[in-house]
Amino acid sequence: MAGLELLSDQGYRVDGRRAGELRKIQARMGVFAQADGSAYIEQGNTKALAVVYGPHEIRGSRARALPDRALVNCQYSSATFSTGERKRRPHGDRKSCEMGLQLRQTFEAAILTQLHPRSQIDIYVLQADGGTYAACVNAATLAVLDAGIPMRDFVCACSAGFVDGTALADLSHVEEAAGGPQLALALLPASGQIALLEMDARLHEDHLERVLEAAAQAARDVHTLLDRVVRQHVREASILLGD
Amino acid sequence: MKETPLSNCERRFLLRAIEEKKRLDGRQTYDYRNIRISFGTDYGCCIVELGKTRVLGQVSCELVSPKLNRATEGILFFNLELSQMAAPAFEPGRQSDLLVKLNRLMERCLRNSKCIDTESLCVVAGEKVWQIRVDLHLLNHDGNIIDAASIAAIVALCHFRRPDVSVQGDEVTLYTPEERDPVPLSIHHMPICVSFAFFQQGTYLLVDPNEREERVMDGLLVIAMNKHREICTIQSSGGIMLLKDQVLRCSKIAGVKVAEITELILKALENDQKVRKEGGKFGFAESIANQRITAFKMEKAPIDTSDVEEKAEEIIAEAEPPSEVVSTPVLWTPGTAQIGEGVENSWGDLEDSEKEDDEGGGDQAIILDGIKMDTGVEVSDIGSQELGFHHVGQTGLEFLTSDSEEEEMIILEPDKNPKKIRTQTTSAKQEKAPSKKPVKRRKKKRAAN
């Protein structure tokens, strides 16, 4: 949208946040009783739902079984009502495939697959409201934790952009649509290692460091929130079990 | 066809070489292979060769009605195909993961970075716009498809000329190339992808991995930049864990590389332009050099051989003397004996498991020709080559050849002379009977059957 000021002179963004502030995050674990693990996360207006099955026997061709590790299978699906206009997305289209591949890559690095050889872990993510990779990854992390699958560390993701010389953290749909550079980063907070890095649109090399730092800081903030959610969930579960 | 798996030896060799900062083709860690760009006779057609990786790019255009939500912009369509001639592993329908990844990366690199001015492709707002279609075909896969493909795409786009169009009121006139010269596309900048391969959990990195290096790498980082040092796309893949300063270092290296490649592209475009203007011959046929003997030439790598003699002497001195030739069988246990050369075997030095595995291969190894036989066994004792089996007399050995498919078997009784020998070869070649332990082992198994 031309003429829309993404960053005002006083440093406020379109929705009133400051440059480094995240949107409101609400998350819930154990949403589905049927699945081994499930989670729901709301980041501003973006809502993501993740479901995990596994580890279980390899379905389909046995030949795909890896002798020393588990196979991680991820599928991403975007609801037709998620964007402003109703878009009927065919199931196997390239964007969904790519997102599935990226999720798989992220989680293969994070899940301790050596502990479950010859098994398969399925992660299904349903995303409403115009794609951010970050919400998918955060939801999937919570779901994997809910399923009890061992991971190296939380995988926290956040997006970042760059407007008028300032790095913005956690882009909303409006800011994404404006067409500036967008960076999506998935981080393991304890070690600071980057599991996945993805960037679109032009950004001058000199600004790369600032944007990376903003995204990393935002991911660490997401981590504190997710950590709180997990502890809360465990506390509730243990109360119900009557400890 | 399924991809042949990479052997562990080769994998270890490659990784060790990379640890010592050596690459198989002699390049430095940050060196690109030779890039060759050739153009076809039509505008918008080019072949890019990055070492042996070859990509063909073709651009075409068409007038269509625009998308509803973008009525004043033209449409760009990219398609990368992995042709079946590129590698035996590429089959129709088998390549989806790699294909999706490459296509998405190409799309993001070229479309989202807005390298082409799509507004200039509009003819009549809301009704007619140009649709530019870039088709890339991988002709040969020797690693680093994405770099070659991105260079091919941008070169083809720069080379392409679209037909001229003029609008007068409601009338749109499309001129053929004969009436008016076709017009080039308006390109803002040239994004070029640079791939970095990571090894040993990110400790070592290489630029422009070739096919072998790609097989052993942990992960890949692709950075697309243009010559103004603007990053157009970053994509990490393969499940490696990166650190922030690694990414920053890679972006600096990418900047340097992209500047070199952009210069090369501009020069190639200029050359082609000149040749066409001067009326010289152009096209793919011209770019293949005539009357040149094509040979499989490998660049020689300089190796320091000054101390080879000393080293060789050292090795020989330290090595054990070769075992002597034994002409009567040496009995080890009931049922196993050795005769001839090589009674002293060195297989005990290797791991036991390799010995077991090698039994299958031992078969072929034992087929020796007659020349070697003479040194070990007295020729006069060897019987003539006859089909069938027979007992050997009290003295000497008799060798038989038979055309049966049985594995060779040599059974020696604990008596002084070997009594019964059944040997078999695939052709009329004589063999030494028990010259290697693996044969004996197989013998034991057979005896048990």
Side-chain angles (χ1 to χ4, degrees):
Chain A
M1 292 183 231
L4 187 67
E5 207 181 32
L6 289 177
L7 193 67
S8 77
D9 300 327
Q10 288 86 24
Y12 289 109
R13 288 149 78 169
V14 178
D15 47 3
R17 289 184 282 155
R18 290 236 167 235
E21 271 181 47
L22 301 173
R23 290 175 289 177
K24 180 165 187 210
I25 298 183
Q26 286 174 316
R28 180 83 72 83
M29 290 166 69
V31 177
F32 291 132
Q34 193 98 3
D36 292 332
S38 55
Y40 171 75
I41 195 169
E42 267 183 44
Q43 246 180 283
N45 277 331
T46 304
K47 303 163 175 58
L49 187 60
V51 165
V52 170
Y53 291 96
H56 55 75
E57 280 257 349
I58 303 266
R59 304 265 163 78
S61 68
R62 286 289 174 81
R64 289 195 307 147
L66 298 165
D68 57 342
R69 308 199 315 262
L71 201 69
V72 177
N73 180 33
C74 291
Q75 264 186 39
Y76 164 84
S77 175
S78 183
T80 51
F81 46 80
S82 54
T83 45
E85 309 168 344
R86 179 164 216 224
K87 248 188 221 183
R88 202 184 170 286
R89 266 172 260 261
H91 196 66
D93 75 328
R94 275 187 194 159
K95 272 208 179 120
S96 313
C97 269
E98 189 202 15
M99 188 69 97
L101 284 175
Q102 287 180 343
L103 285 171
R104 190 212 309 180
Q105 170 200 326
T106 316
F107 281 95
E108 254 180 14
I111 296 178
L112 292 170
T113 44
Q114 279 85 0
L115 296 178
H116 301 279
R118 299 180 201 280
S119 62
Q120 184 177 330
I121 301 173
D122 297 318
I123 304 179
Y124 297 108
V125 181
L126 173 69
Q127 164 86 50
D129 189 8
T132 50
Y133 162 80
C136 291
V137 169
N138 294 332
T141 301
L142 288 178
V144 170
L145 287 172
D146 189 38
I149 297 173
M151 285 213 290
R152 285 201 175 85
D153 193 358
F154 276 78
V155 184
C156 303
C158 197
S159 54
F162 193 77
V163 167
D164 289 345
T166 335
L168 306 175
D170 197 10
L171 301 173
S172 65
H173 181 67
V174 168
E175 289 160 347
E176 274 182 13
Q182 301 159 32
L183 182 97
L185 180 76
L187 189 71
L188 271 61
S191 50
Q193 288 174 322
I194 300 172
L196 186 125
L197 176 62
E198 200 191 25
M199 205 196 81
D200 284 334
R202 284 149 67 183
L203 174 73
H204 197 274
E205 194 192 332
D206 299 337
H207 307 308
L208 179 63
E209 183 170 3
R210 258 185 290 167
V211 179
L212 270 179
E213 188 47 52
Q217 184 56 42
R220 272 178 237 128
D221 295 337
V222 170
H223 167 64
T224 23
L225 273 158
L226 293 183
D227 190 63
R228 209 184 314 154
V229 168
V230 173
R231 285 179 203 273
Q232 177 74 17
H233 178 75
V234 169
R235 213 174 303 136
E236 282 174 8
S238 59
I239 289 173
L240 285 173
L241 283 171
D243 265 343
Chain B
M1 211 175 94
K2 206 164 169 208
E3 214 174 72
T4 39
L6 195 65
S7 62
N8 283 340
C9 299
E10 208 173 347
R11 182 182 294 263
R12 260 179 281 150
F13 179 71
L14 282 164
L15 289 174
R16 273 291 299 277
I18 290 168
E19 279 170 33
E20 297 176 12
K21 305 228 189 294
K22 288 196 178 42
R23 293 173 86 160
L24 283 185
D25 44 11
R27 289 186 277 157
Q28 300 294 322
T29 44
Y30 298 155
D31 277 353
Y32 255 84
R33 290 169 281 181
N34 280 337
I35 302 180
R36 245 192 99 219
I37 303 177
S38 46
F39 296 94
T41 40
D42 293 333
Y43 279 115
C45 184
C46 74
I47 289 187
V48 170
E49 291 173 50
L50 177 63
K52 292 212 198 119
T53 303
R54 233 190 250 216
V55 178
L56 167 75
Q58 173 76 55
V59 179
S60 54
C61 66
E62 206 190 357
L63 274 175
V64 295
S65 36
K67 287 194 186 148
L68 291 169
N69 53 349
R70 290 185 203 273
T72 54
E73 288 182 17
I75 304 175
L76 274 176
F77 184 70
F78 296 97
N79 188 31
L80 170 69
E81 272 180 29
L82 304 173
S83 162
Q84 276 86 56
M85 70 173 102
F90 294 157
E91 271 172 32
R94 252 241 224 175
Q95 335 143 354
S96 39
D97 270 1
L98 180 61
L99 200 59
V100 167
K101 205 172 72 145
L102 292 172
N103 268 297
R104 282 293 301 156
L105 197 51
M106 289 303 305
E107 266 186 40
R108 281 169 47 211
C109 169
L110 292 164
R111 192 189 288 162
N112 294 6
S113 63
K114 299 199 192 350
C115 62
I116 297 191
D117 183 14
T118 43
E119 301 252 347
S120 69
L121 297 173
C122 177
V123 176
V124 178
E127 283 176 33
K128 285 279 175 224
V129 296
W130 285 110
Q131 176 181 318
I132 306 286
R133 189 193 162 103
V134 183
D135 282 298
L136 299 162
H137 291 264
L138 180 70
L139 300 176
N140 192 35
H141 177 33
D142 194 30
N144 204 3
I145 304 174
I146 190 65
D147 284 13
S150 77
I151 297 177
I154 203 66
V155 166
L157 284 168
C158 290
H159 193 242
F160 181 63
R161 306 275 182 269
R162 65 167 172 85
D164 198 6
V165 166
S166 70
V167 183
Q168 270 124 2
D170 274 342
E171 267 196 35
V172 177
T173 340
L174 178 67
Y175 297 104
T176 61
E178 289 84 35
E179 292 171 15
R180 272 207 206 172
D181 275 345
V183 197
L185 300 172
S186 77
I187 297 183
H188 293 311
H189 64 103
M190 304 208 285
I192 304 208
C193 294
V194 177
S195 305
F196 297 88
F198 286 89
F199 301 87
Q200 311 284 49
Q201 275 81 45
T203 338
Y204 304 99
L205 87 79
L206 291 179
V207 172
D208 187 20
N210 67 15
E211 207 249 332
R212 294 282 119 164
E213 292 162 355
E214 269 188 2
R215 295 247 220 156
V216 298
M217 72 180 175
D218 285 339
L220 192 70
L221 176 69
V222 179
I223 300 186
M225 278 178 94
N226 61 25
K227 69 172 187 211
H228 310 291
R229 292 181 57 233
E230 290 174 334
I231 300 178
C232 305
T233 304
I234 299 184
Q235 172 81 52
S236 80
S237 63
I240 27 154
M241 296 294 190
L242 295 170
L243 293 169
K244 198 176 73 161
D245 46 348
Q246 280 176 325
V247 177
L248 294 170
R249 197 161 32 114
C250 288
S251 71
K252 290 199 177 44
I253 299 168
V256 173
K257 292 292 151 195
V258 165
E260 291 170 11
I261 297 176
T262 313
E263 225 182 88
L264 210 134
I265 294 178
L266 291 173
K267 223 189 299 179
L269 284 166
E270 217 183 276
N271 273 347
D272 181 72
Q273 188 71 5
K274 214 178 355 159
V275 168
R276 279 178 206 255
K277 215 188 284 197
E278 289 165 5
K281 291 202 191 149
F282 49 86
F284 289 132
E286 293 310 313
S287 57
I288 302 172
N290 276 336
Q291 294 169 11
R292 185 176 74 170
I293 302 172
T294 45
F296 185 45
K297 176 181 165 209
M298 304 263 277
E299 300 293 333
K300 296 193 188 144
I303 299 177
D304 182 17
T305 55
S306 51
D307 59 349
V308 167
E309 267 191 43
E310 295 156 6
K311 279 210 181 138
E313 280 173 13
E314 267 176 57
I315 293 171
I316 292 174
E318 285 168 26
E320 289 161 12
S323 53
E324 44 186 56
V325 173
V326 176
S327 57
T328 52
V330 173
L331 186 72
W332 296 106
T333 68
T336 63
Q338 263 184 308
I339 186 170
E341 244 182 38
V343 172
E344 187 71 32
N345 77 20
S346 60
W347 282 45
D349 300 343
L350 303 173
E351 296 158 23
D352 281 347
S353 57
E354 287 182 351
K355 251 199 237 176
E356 298 290 336
D357 288 340
D358 256 306
E359 280 185 311
D363 225 348
Q364 279 73 36
I366 295 178
I367 299 176
L368 302 164
D369 44 27
I371 301 166
K372 279 197 188 160
M373 291 292 295
D374 296 343
T375 56
V377 176
E378 287 168 331
V379 182
S380 56
D381 284 344
I382 298 169
S384 59
Q385 300 177 9
E386 286 171 25
L387 294 172
F389 304 123
H390 66 208
H391 279 268
V392 177
Q394 273 64 24
T395 56
L397 308 157
E398 273 201 35
F399 283 91
L400 269 308
T401 62
S402 118
D403 285 312
S404 79
E405 294 291 283
E406 263 185 33
E407 289 178 0
E408 52 186 12
M409 259 238 297
I410 298 99
I411 301 174
L412 297 173
E413 299 300 314
D415 296 351
K416 301 227 175 59
N417 291 322
K419 283 210 178 121
K420 189 166 64 171
I421 298 176
R422 279 188 312 176
T423 66
Q424 170 265 333
T425 48
T426 51
S427 59
K429 279 189 183 167
Q430 294 172 349
E431 302 176 342
K432 269 189 223 175
S435 59
K436 295 214 160 63
K437 266 201 176 141
V439 180
K440 283 177 274 191
R441 249 191 227 150
R442 219 179 312 118
K443 223 172 16 184
K444 277 190 183 158
K445 275 194 214 159
R446 277 309 189 96
N449 283 350

